[in-house]
């Protein structure tokens, strides 16, 4: 797998720079076009390949949510004004970018949201410090030299201290990195497992309380680790074997069926097919799960209701406002570039799956949102425009996109 060296040089150099960076301001909001699902409108931020993760935050503290997609942030609500975080350099779509995930958090507690960037698997990560000026590049703060392995790292409060940690593998070990000595000092990697041979490109990771003890546990595609109590004689995390597919994307733990315990939802193969939820059927002596298929893990027939190849990113959100968490997922376009002469105009699909509970159990009903965007390695959901409805932010080899949902449901 070859990297885009121009991007790496640009990203590495911006940490020491305080030079002004030009803003690109459009006199009007970016155009909005109807999505295939009429509840959404689609906004195209750009059509370049800059990153495969995107997020949002109020970066200029004006009370309006903005979007970050790779090297730039876009002013809400119209997103026509673009400001540089680091110098942009387009990546080769036949290869990979250096920006796989972007997590928004105020690391230095100055009241301004910063951006944590996790790059190509196996590389070190860094956070970018918000300068409080729309026309200045952001200082790059490397978190450590430790490799960030796994293609679905989580930024979540694993330890219960009220602050999110970066949960990932590193050197074959599962654990988390945290700013124990302050965000500008090297972060510390805390192993929660023994060496298990996790490779750089391991797929699938999640954080959630599986056994209902109030402490978050850590999940990966072949099993999970139960977090010990702080005052427990057993200080090691208990490993339990459990197959959750073959290695997909994010693995959220949530009560799918409303019976009071945590189930797991994940795609089955990041570069194949499949989406399932895993029902917790027993909690003692440790949680056991039974699979319920939402989308089969085999290549679909031409008349299949859902075609979703390379489902590399997943998020939960209540799209229709009925109080149940729905699933948002889709295709990572050219995650592995096809052999031969691939068609860059080929579809890249984005779906949401409406959750429904009934006497017959739980069902998920698919709706195609768009067929010319897909997902990257990360998709982010939230209410960007403050109308009470969930919106979606995506960036990948097709470009960067915002899907806004109307307030009427």
């Amino acid at each position: 797998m070859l990297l885009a060296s121009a991007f790496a040089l640009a990203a590495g150099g911006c940490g020491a720079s305080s030079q002004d960076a030009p803003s690109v301001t459009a006199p009007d909001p970016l155009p909005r076009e109807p999505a295939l699902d009429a509840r959404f409108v689609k906004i195209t931020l750009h059509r370049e390949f800059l990153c495969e993760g995107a997020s949002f935050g109020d970066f200029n503290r004006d009370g309006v949510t903005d979007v970050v997609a790779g090297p730039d942030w876009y002013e809400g609500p119209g997103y026509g004004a673009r400001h540089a975080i680091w110098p942009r350099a387009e990546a080769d779509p036949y290869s990979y970018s250096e920006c796989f995930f972007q997590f928004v958090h105020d690391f230095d507690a100055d009241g301004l949201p910063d951006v944590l960037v996790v790059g190509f698997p196996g590389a070190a990560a860094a956070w970018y410090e918000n300068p409080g000026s729309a026309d200045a590049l952001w200082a790059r703060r490397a978190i450590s030299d430790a490799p960030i392995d796994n293609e679905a790292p989580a930024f979540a409060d694993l330890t219960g201290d009220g602050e999110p940690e970066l949960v990932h593998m590193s050197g074959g070990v599962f654990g988390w990195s945290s700013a124990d000595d302050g965000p500008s000092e090297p972060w510390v990697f805390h192993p929660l497992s023994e060496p298990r041979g996790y490779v750089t490109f391991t797929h699938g990771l999640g954080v959630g309380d599986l056994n209902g003890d109030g402490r978050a546990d850590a999940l990966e595609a072949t099993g999970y680790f139960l977090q010990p109590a702080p005052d427990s004689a057993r200080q090691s995390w208990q490993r339990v074997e459990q197959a959750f597919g073959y290695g997909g994307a994010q693995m959220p733990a949530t009560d799918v069926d409303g019976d009071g315990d945590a189930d797991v939802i994940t795609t089955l193969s990041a570069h194949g097919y499949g989406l399932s939820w895993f029902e917790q059927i027993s909690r003692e002596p440790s949680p056991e799960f039974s699979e319920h298929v939402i989308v089969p893990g085999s290549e679909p027939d031409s008349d299949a209701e859902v075609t979703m190849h390379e489902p590399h990113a997943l998020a939960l959100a209540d799209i229709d406002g009925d109080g149940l968490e729905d699933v948002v997922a889709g295709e990572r376009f050219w995650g592995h570039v096809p052999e031969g002469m691939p068609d860059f105009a080929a579809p890249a699909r984005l779906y949401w799956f409406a959750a429904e509970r009934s006497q017959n159990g739980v069902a998920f009903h698919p709706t195609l949102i768009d067929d010319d965007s897909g997902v990257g390695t990360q998709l982010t959901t939230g209410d960007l425009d403050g109308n009470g409805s969930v919106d979606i932010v995506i960036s990948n080899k097709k470009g960067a996109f915002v899907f806004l949902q109307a307030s009427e449901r």
Side-chain angles (χ1 to χ4, degrees), residues 1-383:
M1 297 183 179
L2 301 176
L3 298 180
S5 58
F7 184 97
L9 290 172
C14 75
S17 174
S18 60
Q19 63 180 300
D20 288 341
S23 299
V24 179
T25 304
D28 299 307
L30 293 177
R32 303 184 178 196
E33 58 181 296
L36 296 180
D37 179 0
R39 73 178 59 234
F40 289 99
V41 294
K42 179 182 180 180
I43 301 172
T44 299
L45 301 178
H46 63 75
R47 281 287 188 177
E48 301 168 89
F49 176 35
L50 302 172
C51 56
E52 291 199 71
S55 192
F56 58 86
D58 183 4
F59 298 114
N60 56 359
R61 303 298 292 170
D62 66 351
V64 179
T65 302
D66 313 303
V67 169
V68 58
D72 303 299
W73 67 273
Y74 300 77
E75 283 190 37
Y79 311 113
R82 187 184 80 215
H83 307 281
I85 296 176
W86 65 81
R88 63 169 29 207
E90 189 169 359
D92 180 359
Y94 285 83
S95 185
Y96 300 92
S97 80
E98 281 291 326
C99 181
F100 273 47
F101 292 85
Q102 294 187 297
F103 302 107
V104 176
H105 184 70
D106 183 5
F107 290 99
D108 52 4
D110 65 353
L112 296 170
D114 309 303
V115 178
L116 171 63
V117 175
V118 179
F120 191 79
W127 66 275
Y128 287 78
E129 182 180 354
N130 189 336
S133 170
D135 295 319
L137 294 175
W138 297 27
R140 182 182 187 272
R141 310 296 188 192
I143 68 171
S144 75
D145 294 329
I148 309 300
D149 298 338
N150 193 287
E151 296 200 26
F155 189 58
D157 184 8
L158 177 67
T159 64
D161 64 353
E163 288 291 319
E165 293 87 29
L166 183 59
V167 186
H168 61 99
M169 286 87 173
S170 187
V173 177
F174 201 176
W176 73 92
S177 294
S178 54
D180 297 359
D181 301 316
S184 296
E185 297 298 321
W187 290 23
V188 178
F189 179 70
H190 301 266
L192 65 83
S193 79
E194 72 283 1
R196 293 187 54 83
Y198 295 116
V199 299
T200 298
F201 304 105
T202 297
H203 290 77
L205 189 148
V207 172
D209 181 7
L210 295 181
N211 60 356
D213 62 3
R215 295 183 296 276
D217 307 308
L219 301 82
E220 47 94 352
T222 67
Y224 59 85
F225 293 83
L226 298 175
Q227 182 171 174
D231 57 353
S232 171
R234 179 182 62 81
Q235 290 301 304
S236 61
W237 291 57
Q238 179 188 353
R239 163 78 182 182
V240 180
E241 297 289 327
Q242 171 68 53
F244 295 109
Y246 304 101
Q250 292 73 25
M251 301 172 60
T254 187
D255 187 3
V256 173
D257 51 8
D259 65 354
D261 57 24
D263 311 300
V264 176
I265 300 179
T266 186
T267 60
L268 302 179
S269 177
H271 297 284
Y273 300 90
L275 169 66
S276 290
W277 73 276
F278 292 81
E279 178 186 2
Q280 186 169 159
I281 56 175
S282 174
R283 183 172 288 182
E284 298 297 337
S286 57
E288 295 182 3
F289 297 86
S290 177
E291 181 179 5
H292 299 269
V293 174
I294 302 172
V295 178
S298 56
E299 185 173 356
D301 298 330
S302 59
D303 59 349
E305 186 177 11
V306 174
T307 298
M308 192 168 67
H309 183 231
E310 293 199 284
H312 213 296
L314 177 147
L316 300 185
D318 183 6
I319 298 294
D320 52 9
D322 65 354
L324 300 180
E325 289 185 303
D326 308 306
V327 178
V328 184
E331 299 179 297
R332 182 189 176 194
F333 184 76
W334 281 18
H336 287 172
V337 178
E339 295 181 1
M341 297 294 291
D343 181 5
F344 198 78
R349 300 170 183 88
L350 174 67
Y351 290 91
W352 72 280
F353 298 81
E356 179 190 34
R357 294 176 187 164
S358 70
Q359 293 181 344
N360 297 322
V362 178
F364 286 90
H365 305 287
T367 298
L368 181 63
I369 300 173
D370 187 61
D371 64 0
D372 190 27
S373 56
V375 301
T377 50
Q378 175 192 27
L379 65 88
T380 309
T381 61
D383 184 4

